[in-house]
């Protein structure tokens, strides 16, 4: 159930309904009278494909009890936007119109309440609002955001409603089992870029999508996640600490600094195996008659093997992107890098795609994770890692 209270961020609710429906949800909209000043029920009905409820006196339901019926099928109520006034009402248990009535009448044990504040920065920072939100959280609600930035009033600060895609991702994350709560997870992702001169370099076709999906899935599962990202153009998953690096040596140094305090290390990065021995200080020119340049390459450090060699290593998971003989190569890497789990996939076929198929290879055997979206596979892998962690302790 999506509840709108009054605020200019109501304009984002239309997009939010679409995002939620695209992600597979059924969305029942209810809105306050104040919200109707900012967006019409017609718009939200058209997008949600369900009648929108605006009044406690709406007689359409057979028993005339929309305030009860609305939440009986709902898995959660998301109030977006949640105005300062509406929050003040909620925490006092006031119920003088449909939306606050429905919140109060919801089955508290199986219908979560999530609120996405949207208000001017001074209103958000006011001790009354802060007190109200703290009490709401103590009563079991989950607060999403607010974001920070330009506000409709022209001021800049905390209080913006999160963007529709952020609210969608927050809601999806809310429903994931917290299998890695309290765990620290370190992930490497993407290619590395090894410079030749100031404009050229050696790299590879890794998109980073699998690693970003794993970072997201681990954060959804409640872990504290650090993502060491090579040069990729992907958005940082919510609640993930991202550190951008360029070269294999930079990624190695960052990984070894973070690994000792991590419980899990997942190495998805396609680390360049070699770098140019001496990087030219200025662009190498192609002047006529000049010989084609030759480069001496030196081997990059193996990050995964180095982390696995630490005195108290985190639980290490390696990836093997192969073009053939998947399991044999994965098994060889399991041995050579001395890690408990290698995830094998066909490299060239998966680069840049949103789906993949994985084979988990460990000392006991193999397990297939059939083709699915990378985020789905990432959640399965996170569950697998959590199960192995709990067997270890
Ligand atoms: N890896 C790493 N550091 C490197 C090379 C690889 O951490 N310098 C990690 C990758 O992130 C991956 C695993 O090791 O988790 C296997 O990477 P891959 O490139 O398939 O293996 P290599 O050891 O480089 O072997 P090859 O390229 O010969 O297949």
């Amino acid at each position: 159930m999506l509840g709108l209270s009054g605020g200019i961020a109501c304009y984002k609710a239309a997009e939010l309904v679409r995002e939620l429906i695209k992600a597979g949800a059924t969305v029942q909209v209810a809105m306050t009278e104040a919200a109707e000043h900012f967006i019409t029920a017609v718009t939200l009905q058209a997008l949600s494909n369900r009648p929108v409820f605006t009044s406690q006196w709406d007689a359409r339901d057979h028993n005339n009890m929309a305030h009860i019926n609305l939440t009986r099928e709902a898995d959660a109520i998301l109030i977006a936007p949640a105005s300062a006034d509406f929050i003040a009402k909620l925490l006092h248990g006031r119920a003088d119109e449909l939306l606050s009535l429905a919140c109060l009448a919801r089955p508290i044990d199986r219908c979560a309440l999530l609120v996405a504040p949207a208000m001017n920065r001074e209103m958000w920072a006011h001790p009354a609002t802060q007190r109200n939100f703290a009490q709401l959280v103590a009563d079991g609600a989950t607060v999403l955001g607010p974001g920070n930035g330009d506000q409709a009033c022209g001021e800049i600060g905390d209080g913006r409603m999160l963007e529709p895609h952020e609210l969608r991702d927050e809601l999806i994350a809310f429903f994931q089992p917290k299998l890695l709560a309290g765990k620290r997870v370190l992930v490497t992702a993407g290619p590395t870029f090894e410079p030749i001169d100031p404009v050229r370099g050696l790299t590879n076709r890794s998109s980073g999508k699998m690693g970003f999906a794993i970072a997201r899935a681990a954060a959804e599962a409640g872990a504290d996640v650090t993502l060491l990202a090579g040069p990729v153009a992907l958005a940082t998953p919510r609640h993930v600490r991202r550190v951008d690096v360029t070269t294999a040596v930079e990624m190695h140094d960052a990984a070894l600094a973070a690994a000792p305090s991590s419980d899990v290390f997942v190495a998805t990065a396609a680390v360049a195996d070699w770098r140019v021995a001496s990087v030219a200080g200025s662009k190498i020119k192609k002047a006529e008659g000049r010989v084609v340049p030759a480069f001496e390459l030196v081997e990059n450090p193996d990050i995964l093997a180095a982390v696995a060699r630490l005195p108290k290593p985190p639980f290490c998971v390696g990836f093997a992107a192969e073009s053939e003989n998947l399991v044999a190569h994965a098994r060889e890497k399991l041995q050579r890098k001395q890690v408990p789990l290698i995830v094998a996939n066909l490299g060239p076929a998966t680069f840049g795609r949103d789906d993949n198929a994985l084979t988990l290879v460990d000392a006991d055997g193999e397990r297939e994770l059939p083709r699915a979206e990378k985020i789905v596979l990432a959640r399965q892998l996170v569950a697998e890692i959590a199960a192995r962690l709990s067997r270890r302790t």
Side-chain angles (χ1 to χ4, degrees):
M1 177 175 162
L2 175 65
L4 282 69
S5 59
I8 185 58
C10 278
Y11 85 90
K12 295 183 186 173
E15 189 66 35
L16 177 58
V17 172
R18 293 196 62 153
E19 291 284 349
L20 293 176
I21 286 178
K22 259 197 273 176
T26 303
V27 182
Q28 173 61 60
V29 177
M31 57 203 293
T32 64
E33 195 190 337
E36 286 187 273
H37 285 278
F38 295 94
I39 188 167
T40 69
V42 174
T43 301
L44 295 163
Q45 177 171 353
L47 293 171
S48 66
N49 199 24
R50 287 169 82 96
V52 168
F53 285 80
T54 58
S55 163
Q56 60 179 312
W57 310 117
D58 187 326
R60 278 176 295 176
D61 273 6
H62 55 92
N63 61 356
N64 214 330
M65 291 191 200
H67 68 287
I68 304 286
N69 304 338
L70 278 171
T71 57
R72 291 308 180 262
E73 285 185 343
D75 297 295
I77 303 183
L78 169 59
I79 306 292
S83 68
D85 179 58
F86 192 74
I87 294 302
K89 275 173 69 173
L90 271 188
L91 86 100
H92 284 293
R94 283 184 55 196
D96 57 354
E97 45 72 51
L98 179 69
L99 189 55
S100 50
L101 256 172
C103 289
L104 195 65
R106 79 187 203 280
I108 201 164
D109 294 332
R110 60 177 173 82
C111 179
L113 177 64
L114 299 97
V115 293
M119 64 196 76
N120 166 268
R121 67 194 175 102
E122 299 292 359
M123 292 167 73
W124 170 251
H126 195 285
T129 307
Q130 291 300 312
R131 194 167 59 234
N132 291 350
F133 271 96
Q135 184 59 51
L136 205 63
V137 170
D139 289 348
T142 300
V143 178
L144 307 180
N148 179 282
D150 290 338
Q151 304 202 311
C153 52
E155 297 181 3
I156 299 170
D158 288 337
R160 278 171 63 96
M161 189 169 88
L162 295 183
E163 297 304 321
H165 70 275
E166 295 174 319
L167 289 175
R168 175 204 60 200
D169 289 352
E170 289 279 358
L171 200 56
I172 291 171
F174 178 82
F175 286 111
Q176 303 307 317
K178 304 300 168 212
L179 300 171
L180 291 178
K183 302 290 183 200
R184 295 166 73 107
V185 175
L186 179 65
V187 181
T188 62
T192 64
F193 179 91
E194 313 298 328
I196 293 172
D197 68 16
V199 297
R200 304 184 181 92
L202 298 174
T203 187
N204 60 65
R205 291 173 53 219
S206 165
S207 66
K209 284 182 178 174
M210 194 66 226
F212 274 59
I214 288 168
R216 175 180 167 185
E220 287 175 346
D224 177 68
V225 183
T226 300
L227 173 61
L228 305 180
V232 292
L234 294 175
T236 311
R238 289 191 61 72
H239 308 296
V240 166
R241 190 181 311 107
R242 173 178 181 165
V243 180
D244 284 318
V245 296
T246 303
T247 66
V249 168
E250 284 170 19
M251 190 177 272
H252 170 269
D253 294 350
L256 280 151
S261 58
S262 301
D263 300 293
V264 177
F265 176 52
V266 187
T268 72
V271 184
D273 287 320
W274 306 282
R275 66 181 181 277
V276 176
S278 69
V279 179
S282 51
K283 187 182 172 196
I284 301 167
K285 301 302 288 178
K286 190 187 61 173
E288 205 160 312
R290 202 175 279 179
V291 288
V292 175
F295 302 105
E296 192 197 332
L297 299 178
V298 290
E299 195 169 317
N300 275 325
D302 188 315
I303 302 168
L304 178 59
V307 170
R309 272 197 309 268
L310 287 171
K312 280 187 176 173
F315 182 82
C316 287
V317 181
F319 266 67
E322 308 294 344
S323 54
E324 69 273 298
N325 297 335
L326 209 57
V327 173
H329 284 308
R331 212 156 268 301
E332 180 273 325
K333 281 174 191 170
L334 200 68
Q335 285 294 327
R336 174 158 53 89
K337 306 198 184 214
Q338 289 289 299
V339 294
L341 178 62
I342 289 278
V343 182
N345 62 138
L346 283 171
T350 124
F351 285 154
R353 291 178 60 121
D354 289 324
D355 62 353
N356 201 354
L358 304 177
T359 307
L360 308 187
V361 180
D362 67 8
D364 298 332
E366 289 108 47
R367 192 183 146 207
E368 303 282 335
L369 300 184
R371 182 160 294 281
E373 289 211 353
K374 285 180 176 173
I375 184 62
V376 173
L377 292 170
R379 291 192 188 117
Q380 292 170 358
L381 185 60
V382 159
E384 188 74 36
I385 291 170
R388 284 159 194 260
L389 273 186
S390 64
R391 284 204 290 274
R392 228 170 49 145
T393 49

